[in-house]
């Protein structure tokens, strides 16, 4: 089978990584890179790909079958519109957009033009996340009752050299990073009904938040909390604990905990705590620990291979536009709650 012809639009932090993965995968070929910043020509040169400063020039000259849209959040919709008009399938980096209106524009034009949309919530392709989902769904924790998530790390100062990362809308960990936690929570535990968030910009004093505490109620009645900060050197983040991204310092810690009526699970160590004898339960009885083996692998690469199969028509997108819009609605609900200092009911789009 011929490799799927793919291009990357937006060759910044994550776009360069996509280009590297595409160039190194036999399922696809990198036919071009586009970025409005001419300095990104160096990324194209690195992978021997043609470089364009205008999206339409790339689409018309190289005729890719699919593109990875890795521009800033506020530009996703306008880039996808150009792709859809040229009948090119898209893998859009998360979040799908920076507003519900923009996400609806994306879903509508994709439907009208018949292009496929995969949204880059790449952690859903992680064997670790798939294992937690299996354990929770299997009932081995009993009835799920609570989830605790921690995403705490230190972003280096140069990360904020780009202005959009310091400003709202578009920047800030609620939309850029916690959308991952929110999406995982939905994937494993079900839909969210209400969020209440308090935030602080105390560490950097930027317009965007640097630290948050989020309280979440799921439709099932499960309660969840997320503590997040991008201003602290800490070992408790998905990136540090999962070892999935070589760019990060790795630790052997858990960053999430899942609690059920029969047991509790630490992630990503997959240590499952429960009573050895179920008829002897209660705080005075010993808990025993077992570990769920998982072979770790790169979810970004798995996502790319899935995108190739989506473009070929062999699979339906694991995360389509509608699904991603539900995760966006929660992240935007968090931002609204931060601003109003009140709980926000999530309207499922
Ligand atoms: N999946 C992940 O783990 C992950 C990680 C980082 C970023 N992201 C997402 O990827 C996207 C990009 O983030 P980033 O940190 O790489 O941003 P970035 O600022 O480093 O790169 C974005 C690039 O897009 C270019 N660009 C802007 N508008 C454009 C347009 N209309 N056409 C072509 N190029 C354009 C910019 O010049 C820049 O080079 C965001 O949506 C972000 O949320 C996802």
């Amino acid at each position: 089978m011929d490799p799927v012809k793919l291009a990357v639009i937006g060759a910044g932090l994550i776009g360069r990584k996509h280009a590297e993965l595409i160039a190194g995968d036999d399922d696809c070929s990198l036919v071009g890179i586009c970025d409005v910043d001419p300095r990104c020509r160096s990324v194209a040169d690195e992978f021997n790909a043609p470089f364009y400063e205008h999206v339409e020039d790339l689409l018309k000259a190289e005729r890719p079958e699919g593109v990875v849209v890795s521009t800033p959040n506020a530009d996703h919709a306008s880039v996808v519109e150009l792709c859809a008009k040229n009948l090119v399938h898209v893998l859009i980096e998360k979040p799908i957009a920076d507003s519900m209106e923009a996400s609806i524009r994306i879903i509508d034009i994709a439907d009208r033009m018949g292009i496929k949309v995969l949204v880059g919530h790449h952690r859903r392709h992680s064997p670790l996340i798939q294992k937690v989902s299996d354990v929770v769904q299997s009932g081995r924790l009993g009835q799920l009752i609570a989830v605790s998530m921690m995403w705490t790390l230190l972003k280096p100062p140069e990360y904020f050299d780009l202005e959009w990362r310091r400003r709202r809308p578009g920047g800030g960990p609620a939309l850029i990073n916690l959308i991952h936690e929110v999406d995982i929570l939905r994937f494993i535990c079900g839909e969210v009904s209400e969020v209440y968030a308090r935030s602080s910009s105390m560490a950097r004093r930027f317009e965007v938040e640097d630290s948050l505490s989020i309280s979440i109620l799921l439709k099932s009645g499960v309660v969840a909390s997320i503590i997040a900060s991008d201003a602290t050197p800490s070992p408790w983040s998905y990136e540090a604990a999962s070892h999935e991204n070589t760019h990060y310092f790795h630790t052997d810690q858990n960053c999430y905990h899942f609690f059920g009526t029969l047991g509790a699970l630490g992630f990503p160590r997959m240590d499952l705590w429960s009573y050895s004898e179920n008829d002897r339960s209660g705080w005075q009885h010993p808990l025993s620990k077992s570990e769920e083996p998982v072979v770790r692998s790169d979810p970004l690469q798995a996502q790319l291979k899935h995108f190739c199969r989506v473009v070929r028509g062999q699979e339906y997108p694991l995360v389509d536009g509608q699904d991603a819009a539900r995760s966006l609605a929660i992240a935007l609900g968090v931002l609204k709650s931060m601003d109003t200092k009140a709980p926000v009911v999530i309207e499922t789009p």
Side-chain angles (χ1 to χ4, degrees):
M1 212 179 284
D2 287 340
V4 178
K5 289 162 65 182
L6 298 181
V8 173
I9 300 176
L13 182 70
I14 196 76
R16 196 208 152 276
K17 179 72 189 168
H18 284 296
E20 183 187 339
L21 284 171
I22 295 168
D25 198 310
D26 290 344
D27 289 355
C28 46
S29 59
L30 181 65
V31 299
I33 289 184
C34 168
D35 200 296
V36 289
D37 183 347
R39 288 172 301 177
C40 290
R41 181 180 289 278
S42 62
V43 181
D45 290 346
E46 194 184 340
F47 300 108
N48 284 322
F51 179 75
Y52 298 86
E53 284 177 38
H54 300 284
V55 175
E56 282 198 291
D57 292 348
L58 165 89
L59 299 178
K60 294 222 160 15
E62 303 300 337
R63 301 255 162 227
E65 294 165 83
V67 302
V68 178
V69 180
S70 43
T71 56
N73 304 333
D75 297 290
H76 288 183
S78 57
V79 172
V80 172
E81 277 168 354
L82 291 174
C83 294
K85 283 177 187 154
N86 286 276
L87 305 180
V88 178
H89 305 299
V90 286
L91 162 50
I92 310 170
E93 259 305 342
K94 46 46 62 178
I96 181 171
D98 64 343
S99 69
M100 293 315 290
E101 294 73 24
S103 74
I104 290 164
R105 265 168 61 202
I106 289 174
I107 293 165
D108 283 353
I109 194 155
D111 277 355
R112 264 188 287 126
M113 301 308 292
I115 63 154
K116 290 159 194 163
V117 171
L118 172 67
V119 182
H121 286 288
H122 68 275
R123 292 186 194 171
R124 291 212 208 172
H125 301 266
S126 159
L128 293 164
I129 292 294
Q130 286 164 356
K131 174 59 100 176
V132 183
S133 175
D134 289 349
V135 171
V136 169
Q137 304 310 324
S138 73
R140 289 172 63 194
L141 301 183
Q143 184 188 354
L144 189 68
I145 46 180
V147 182
S148 161
M149 303 176 117
M150 210 177 292
W151 183 82
T152 47
L153 45 58
L154 182 67
K155 285 181 179 165
E158 59 272 20
Y159 175 92
F160 296 98
D161 288 349
L162 294 173
E163 201 195 347
W164 74 268
R165 293 181 178 154
R166 303 192 297 264
R167 300 220 171 276
R168 288 176 62 185
L175 202 53
I176 296 179
N177 308 103
L178 296 191
I179 186 116
H180 283 304
E181 270 63 29
V182 156
D183 186 70
I184 285 169
L185 189 67
R186 285 187 52 237
F187 178 60
I188 298 170
C189 310
E191 296 299 340
V192 166
S193 125
E194 197 175 303
V195 296
Y196 177 49
R198 297 306 302 265
S199 68
S200 155
S201 308
M202 200 163 63
R204 295 200 187 84
R205 308 235 169 251
F206 289 153
E207 183 184 345
V208 295
E209 70 285 356
D210 50 58
S211 306
L212 298 102
S213 164
I214 309 172
S215 180
I216 300 174
L217 179 67
L218 276 73
K219 289 197 169 145
S220 60
V222 170
V223 288
S225 76
I226 306 177
I227 286 286
S229 176
D230 64 15
T232 174
S234 134
W236 301 296
S237 67
Y238 185 94
E239 289 85 343
S242 72
H243 305 189
E244 286 174 350
N245 188 333
T246 50
H247 182 65
Y248 289 80
F249 176 71
H250 294 163
T251 67
D252 62 353
Q253 301 289 307
N254 281 325
C255 54
Y256 307 153
H257 294 93
F258 296 81
F259 308 93
T261 50
L262 296 180
L265 179 73
F267 173 93
R269 293 172 61 105
M270 300 295 171
D271 35 1
L272 202 161
W273 294 82
S274 58
Y275 292 112
S276 12
E277 300 164 62
N278 270 340
D279 55 335
R280 302 188 69 197
S281 62
W283 59 24
Q284 71 275 36
H285 293 298
L287 285 162
S288 57
K289 182 173 83 165
S290 62
E291 274 169 27
E292 292 288 316
V294 184
V295 179
R296 300 183 190 208
S297 61
D298 179 4
L300 268 180
Q301 191 173 28
Q303 175 181 261
L304 173 62
K305 286 183 173 298
H306 171 60
F307 184 50
C308 291
R309 293 190 293 273
V310 167
V311 170
R312 287 193 175 116
Q314 295 167 333
E315 287 179 9
Y316 185 80
L318 180 64
V319 189
D320 66 12
Q322 198 74 41
D323 194 351
R326 293 197 185 109
S327 293
L328 175 65
I330 300 165
L332 294 175
V334 166
L335 291 176
K336 187 173 172 192
S337 178
M338 278 160 45
D339 291 345
T340 58
K341 300 183 174 53
V344 169
V345 172
I346 305 300
E347 312 284 350
T348 305

